[in-house]
Amino acid sequence: QVQLVESGGGSVQVGDSLTLSCAASGRHLSSSVLAWFRQAPGKEREFVALIRWSRDSTLYADSVKGRFIVSKDKPKNIVYLQMHNLKVEDTAAYYCARGSQYSTNRLEYVFWGQGTQVTVAS
């Protein structure tokens, strides 16, 4: 059974940093892609970043490039999203997702976590 459990969300100020964690479990993790998406109220869920489990390949949305870092801890089966220099527009529910394709399309991801809220105040 595949499970993804996010944690680490919270309320911060503009310019602050925050790190989200996604604990992943289930079979065939080594062949998967782990991604972060976010969804703000009234908006569609959008791609943030992804990382291949078996390699160090990463990909970022232009809106977070240079500010966010996605990484993994293989022994602990955890994927992290380090978020720096946070902006008000980063406010959203952040979701961890697991798929098999190196893709920014949310439809390619079958398994999702429950989400964790990040609120950035000015």
Side-chain angles (χ1 to χ4, degrees):
Q1 182 180 359
V2 175
Q3 275 195 317
L4 300 168
V5 181
E6 305 98 331
S7 61
S11 297
V12 296
Q13 300 292 314
V14 168
D16 283 351
S17 298
L18 199 62
T19 297
L20 306 182
S21 300
C22 172
S25 62
R27 298 175 64 184
H28 309 303
L29 189 59
S30 62
S31 61
S32 64
V33 174
L34 278 295
W36 289 96
F37 287 78
R38 67 186 181 186
Q39 188 167 18
K43 295 188 176 182
E44 290 192 353
R45 192 167 297 189
E46 64 174 7
F47 168 76
V48 175
L50 66 78
I51 187 167
R52 285 189 191 274
W53 193 257
S54 60
R55 304 177 189 175
D56 290 332
S57 303
T58 59
L59 189 64
Y60 298 92
D62 288 343
S63 58
V64 307
K65 201 172 294 182
R67 299 189 298 123
F68 289 14
I69 301 171
V70 60
S71 62
K72 60 184 184 282
D73 184 328
K74 278 188 167 182
K76 294 183 179 179
N77 282 359
I78 296 178
V79 174
Y80 299 101
L81 184 68
Q82 298 177 55
M83 305 184 292
H84 302 286
N85 190 22
L86 282 161
K87 304 177 180 180
V88 171
E89 50 265 41
D90 293 319
T91 296
Y94 283 71
Y95 297 88
C96 180
R98 175 179 160 177
S100 58
Q101 300 298 318
Y102 193 78
S103 174
T104 63
N105 185 346
R106 68 182 189 276
L107 299 178
E108 297 282 358
Y109 293 85
V110 177
F111 303 104
W112 293 83
Q114 82 287 352
T116 186
Q117 179 67 34
V118 173
T119 302
V120 185
S122 60

